[in-house]
Amino acid sequence: MSNPVIKVENLGKKYIICHQDTAGYSTLRDTIVNGTRSMAHAITNPKSVRKTNTEEFWALKNLNFEIKQGDRLGIIGRNGAGKSTLLKILSRITEPTTGRIKLKGRIASLLEVGTGFHPELSGRENIFLNGAILGMSKIEIKQKFDEIVDFSEVEKFLDTPVKRYSSGMYVRLAFAVAAHLEPEILIVDEVLAVGDTAFQQKCLGKMQEVGRNGRTVIFVSHNMATVKQLCNKACLLANGTLVGQGTPAAMIASYMENTLGRATDDDKKNYQHIKGDRRAEIELITINDRDRGEVIIPIFGKVKIALKYKIIESIDRLEFFVLFHSLATGEIISSCWQKDTQEYIDPMLPVETINLEFINHLLPGKYVISAGIYKQNKCVDRVEYAEAFTVEPAFADGQKYDRRGGKVRFQGNWYS
């Protein structure tokens, strides 16, 4: 049995949030006058103390777990669960407030686009800089240099300052450096989502190879199918606490069950908005005119999905989409994109609704939908794992469709 390379004991991270009273916009004259009055008050009343409204926020609370050599650990949870904070502490970017972490080996981290590279240096120079930070000699870095360049596919721009790189090029080179300079522990955040699909699969293959070679991978992603593909273990975080650890399948199922949109006090849904510039925002999703309780749909039944959205900033030519996931695995089973119809929406009111209707061909099981808004290939808003529904077993042409293989039913013409 392999020994733990990371041991987390009673880990906590506290931040102090300062709240300032806002009284609308102030002119420069108002600012100068108010500042002068404050100074005069402090001089004439030296014992007076101005109260500051502060609040303690625990991003992480009492975490305890171990990661063994060769593990590929997926960390999942909603936005604000504490995933990025945990990775920053593991990467020694920030210090914990309570508890401690025991680490064995060199760590390479890829947390954000731009992390670890000097923008004024070329790609070539940054490869050597990162290797030196990891404690490698120049000879060791040269031995890996060609592999890094080949993997990153940025050879043409190797002597260009990385500040001129696109975000995709940046991630390509950053991942290649992190994965090939042989750290004992490789930490990767959602940053890989910047790259194209082919490169993402290439990175996943490399991380699997790293794990098979006895090194440890810690991976954070909102893509449950990717976590299931890559990882052999998973941790589920919620509100800064560890609520579960085990196999990826078990943790994904728990995450999917508990991440669906919940009604808040003002009767709005607490959806998980994971992407977009939020110039428009999805407020409520209904399935067959229902947004509460269990929604049951028969196979071959008619389905209506309504997306209620509000406009935050003036915007036109909106495109909507809906993704259908397996509730058990998070895998995308099917999708429907408005752009395929070459039709766009120009909102006329601050709050509007767009409807999608279709005949259900999903086989019996439990499903969950994500939905989003695009404008000219740029994400405006995306809500993840928002609403669930169940497709019930049904008879069609005298035959029951609850034991058929696959996930989607379609009918072909049979002839000889």
Side-chain angles (χ1 to χ4, degrees), residues 269-395:
K269 283 298 187 78
N270 181 25
Y271 291 137
Q272 181 179 202
H273 299 263
I274 66 166
K275 288 179 65 177
D277 57 34
R278 306 286 284 275
R279 287 178 288 169
E281 187 175 279
I282 294 176
E283 282 195 317
L284 183 65
I285 301 173
T286 60
I287 305 173
N288 286 358
D289 299 320
R290 294 188 61 186
D291 65 339
R292 299 286 190 278
E294 186 176 10
V295 179
I296 299 177
I297 298 170
I299 189 172
F300 315 121
K302 187 176 180 180
V303 182
K304 175 185 174 184
I305 296 176
L307 306 180
K308 180 182 177 182
Y309 64 98
K310 66 178 179 181
I311 304 302
I312 310 298
E313 297 180 15
S314 179
I315 190 171
D316 60 0
R317 292 181 66 81
L318 299 180
E319 310 163 15
F320 295 80
F321 69 88
V322 175
L323 307 179
F324 300 87
H325 308 261
S326 163
L327 183 59
T329 66
E331 177 187 4
I332 297 176
I333 306 302
S334 189
S335 62
C336 190
W337 294 75
Q338 185 187 0
K339 67 180 181 181
D340 294 338
T341 66
Q342 300 297 315
E343 296 178 357
Y344 306 95
I345 299 295
D346 289 323
M348 303 296 292
L349 299 171
V351 177
E352 293 204 30
T353 299
I354 183 170
N355 300 297
L356 166 66
E357 292 187 353
F358 59 92
I359 300 299
N360 172 55
H361 288 275
L362 294 170
L363 288 175
K366 292 188 175 182
Y367 300 90
V368 62
I369 63 174
S370 301
I373 310 171
Y374 266 76
K375 175 180 170 61
Q376 297 177 339
N377 296 321
K378 291 185 178 180
C379 185
V380 176
D381 186 30
R382 175 169 172 170
V383 292
E384 194 84 330
Y385 312 132
E387 299 288 349
F389 64 93
T390 299
V391 176
E392 63 179 358
F395 286 89

Side-chain angles (χ1 to χ4, degrees), residues 4-8 11 63 65-76 82-92 101-111 175 178 183-192 203-204 206-208 210-211 215-221 226-227 230-235 237:
V5 293
I6 299 177
K7 188 172 183 179
V8 175
L11 185 69
L63 263 60
F65 62 90
E66 293 182 353
I67 305 174
K68 298 188 181 297
Q69 182 179 346
D71 280 349
R72 300 184 303 277
L73 177 73
I75 300 177
I76 59 177
K83 305 184 299 296
S84 295
T85 302
L86 176 58
L87 294 194
K88 288 177 181 178
I89 293 175
L90 292 174
S91 302
R92 292 181 280 204
I101 297 176
K102 297 179 181 178
L103 296 167
K104 294 181 181 178
R106 296 182 303 195
I107 296 178
S109 302
L110 185 57
L111 305 184
F175 181 86
E184 281 75 26
I185 302 167
L186 175 62
I187 298 177
V188 182
D189 204 345
E190 192 74 62
V191 65
L192 287 182
C203 292
L204 290 174
K206 183 61 180 178
M207 285 190 281
Q208 288 173 325
V210 166
R215 288 178 280 162
T216 302
V217 177
I218 302 173
F219 180 61
V220 166
S221 178
T226 302
V227 171
L230 170 67
C231 302
N232 65 327
K233 294 183 180 179
C235 288
L237 296 182

Side-chain angles (χ1 to χ4, degrees), residues 42-62:
I43 293 171
T44 57
N45 301 276
K47 293 185 179 181
S48 66
V49 178
R50 185 176 180 181
K51 294 183 179 179
T52 304
N53 186 13
T54 62
E55 175 188 355
E56 289 186 354
F57 171 71
W58 285 89
L60 297 173
K61 295 173 285 188
N62 196 32

